[in-house]
């Protein structure tokens, strides 16, 4: 007699920002350009389903647009609530972002009453940190963008054990950070620029500052979008500060992307405060030129996104009491 398959893991995806249309176009698997759907929820469904399949499990998801105040009325109907990234910050103020205050309070109540577990990525980690009594602020070291090498803490070594790869590299794009882990959680990972890269609390909270759901194509388009917004603002204000920030972002991103041999930084020497679409196309074109085979193929920049998505599924299964094969 064959055993029945485990029940699907139930995940509510709390979308904290709609995907930019150019990002949607490249939100496929690996580094392909295939679209997986017109939403952040569809991207997470795709990535979670792939991870679950690798582990012999299955997931069912439901999407909620948290950025317009849409939240699960019954969080207990799900094993976990997953919070996505966002262009916003937890400390943003104004009536247009009042949804952030409500989201933080909602997550605090869900964790306190143990109605569901919560998982957060990037902005999602920061929401969870704030909800649990931690603190979030702009990173004085600046943006962390692109390929980010991670180191495990002692707690991380115990938590992941032999499942952890020898070298951990994940994709990042954030300016804010959790400045201290909330009470009662275990810090799992850190990077040179950001001390709080991941934390866990028993089977109720799992959060990471990185974006394991992203592939290189998505990060490329996000960086293009952030550069255009920030540098056009700097040009409008007539200041060089924003332009300098964009140069840093470009340089960091170039360091992350695989290039065949040397990395050409000469494209960032333009003396302009206006990061125009034409300049953006030139930068992205240069980056695209080194997209293969590059350093990933050589193994010098191992990407651990699939491993981290697997760990998310393992966490959900543990919370749900579902034994993985």
């Amino acid at each position: 007699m064959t055993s029945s398959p485990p029940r699907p893991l139930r995940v509510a995806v709390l979308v904290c920002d709609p995907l930019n249309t150019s990002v949607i176009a490249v939100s496929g698997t690996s580094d392909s350009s295939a679209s997986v759907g017109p939403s952040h929820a569809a991207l997470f469904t795709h990535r979670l389903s792939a991870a679950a399949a690798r582990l012999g499990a299955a997931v069912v998801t439901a999407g909620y647009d948290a950025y317009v105040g849409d939240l699960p009325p019954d969080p207990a109907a799900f094993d976990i609530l997953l919070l996505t990234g966002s262009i916003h910050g937890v400390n943003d103020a104004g009536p247009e972002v009042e949804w952030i205050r409500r989201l933080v309070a909602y997550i605090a109540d869900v964790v306190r009453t143990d109605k569901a577990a919560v998982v957060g990525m990037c902005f999602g980690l920061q929401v969870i940190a704030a909800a649990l009594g931690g603190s979030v602020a702009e990173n004085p070291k600046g943006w962390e963008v692109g390929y980010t090498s991670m180191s495990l803490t002692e707690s991380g070594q115990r938590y992941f054990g032999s499942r952890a790869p020898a070298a951990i590299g994940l994709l990042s794009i954030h300016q804010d950070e959790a400045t201290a882990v909330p009470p009662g959680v275990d810090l799992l990972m850190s990077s040179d620029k950001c001390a709080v890269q991941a934390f866990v609390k028993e089977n109720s909270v799992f959060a990471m500052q990185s974006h394991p759901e992203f592939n290189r194509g998505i990060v490329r388009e996000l960086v293009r979008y952030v550069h255009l917004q920030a540098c056009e603002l700097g040009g409008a204000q007539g200041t060089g500060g924003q332009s300098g920030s964009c140069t840093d972002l470009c340089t960091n991103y170039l360091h992350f992307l695989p290039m065949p041999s040397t990395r050409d930084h000469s494209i960032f020497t333009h003396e302009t405060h206006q990061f125009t679409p034409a300049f953006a196309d030139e930068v992205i074109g240069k980056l695209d030129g080194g997209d293969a085979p590059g350093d990933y193929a050589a193994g010098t920049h191992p990407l651990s996104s699939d491993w981290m998505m697997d760990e998310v599924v393992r966490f959900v299964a543990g919370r749900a009491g579902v034994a993985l094969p």
Side-chain angles (χ1 to χ4, degrees):
M1 180 178 179
T2 59
S3 60
S4 59
R7 73 162 176 83
L9 307 174
R10 302 167 302 192
V11 179
V13 180
L14 276 55
V15 178
C16 300
D17 196 41
L19 279 178
N20 180 273
T21 53
S22 64
V23 175
I24 293 171
V26 295
S27 58
T29 61
S30 183
D31 296 315
S32 73
S33 60
S35 174
V36 298
S39 72
H40 223 148
L43 170 60
F44 273 98
T45 298
H46 171 79
R47 293 289 284 147
L48 288 168
S49 296
R54 287 192 294 269
L55 298 175
V59 297
V60 292
T61 65
Y64 294 85
D65 290 335
Y67 65 93
V68 294
D70 181 25
L71 298 170
D74 180 17
F78 300 95
D79 297 312
I80 68 158
L81 312 181
L82 188 152
L83 287 75
T84 74
S86 177
I87 62 171
H88 296 288
V90 168
N91 298 319
D92 286 358
E96 70 280 3
V97 290
E98 184 57 31
W99 64 269
I100 297 176
R101 309 280 81 75
R102 293 194 295 269
L103 178 61
V104 170
Y106 175 87
I107 293 301
D109 179 71
V110 168
V111 174
R112 179 181 58 82
T113 58
D114 200 33
K115 294 174 183 175
V118 293
V119 170
M121 299 178 184
C122 197
F123 174 80
L125 173 145
Q126 296 162 19
V127 168
I128 295 171
L132 298 185
S135 56
V136 176
E138 185 174 314
N139 190 336
K141 296 181 181 179
W143 284 83
E144 186 172 53
V145 177
Y147 184 91
T148 306
S149 295
M150 307 287 179
S151 58
L152 294 179
T153 64
E154 289 186 6
S155 293
Q157 293 172 19
R158 288 192 299 269
Y159 179 81
F160 295 116
S162 61
R163 300 193 307 272
I168 300 173
L170 294 163
L171 304 184
S172 302
I173 180 166
H174 67 102
Q175 186 176 26
D176 291 352
E177 64 171 351
T179 55
V181 294
V185 307
D186 292 323
L187 179 65
L188 301 177
M189 292 193 300
S190 299
S191 68
D192 289 342
K193 225 172 190 179
C194 176
V196 183
Q197 280 287 351
F199 57 77
V200 69
K201 182 179 181 181
E202 298 176 353
N203 67 342
S204 65
V205 169
F206 185 33
M208 60 222 67
Q209 184 58 63
S210 59
H211 285 278
E213 80 278 17
F214 283 176
N215 58 41
R216 283 183 290 165
I218 291 174
V219 174
R220 182 186 299 115
E221 292 303 323
L222 284 170
V223 169
R224 183 203 295 267
Y225 176 77
V226 170
H227 288 176
L228 286 171
Q229 297 300 310
C231 293
E232 287 178 1
L233 175 62
Q237 294 177 341
T239 63
Q242 289 287 346
S243 180
S245 298
C246 289
T247 299
D248 290 343
L249 280 166
C250 285
T251 304
N252 290 339
Y253 186 60
L254 182 61
H255 176 71
F256 138 69
L257 272 174
M259 302 290 277
S261 53
T262 60
R263 302 180 188 279
D264 180 9
H265 289 240
S266 65
I267 57 176
F268 306 125
T269 60
H270 291 56
E271 294 184 0
T272 176
H273 300 319
Q274 194 79 356
F275 195 88
T276 64
F279 184 41
D281 288 340
E282 179 183 355
V283 171
I284 299 302
K286 286 280 189 177
L287 300 181
D288 286 344
D291 209 13
D295 293 345
Y296 290 143
T300 56
H301 286 80
L303 193 59
S304 310
S305 296
D306 284 351
W307 166 73
M308 184 55 79
M309 290 303 298
D310 289 355
E311 289 299 323
V312 170
V313 171
R314 290 183 188 278
F315 175 81
V316 182
R319 167 71 188 199
V322 173
L324 297 176

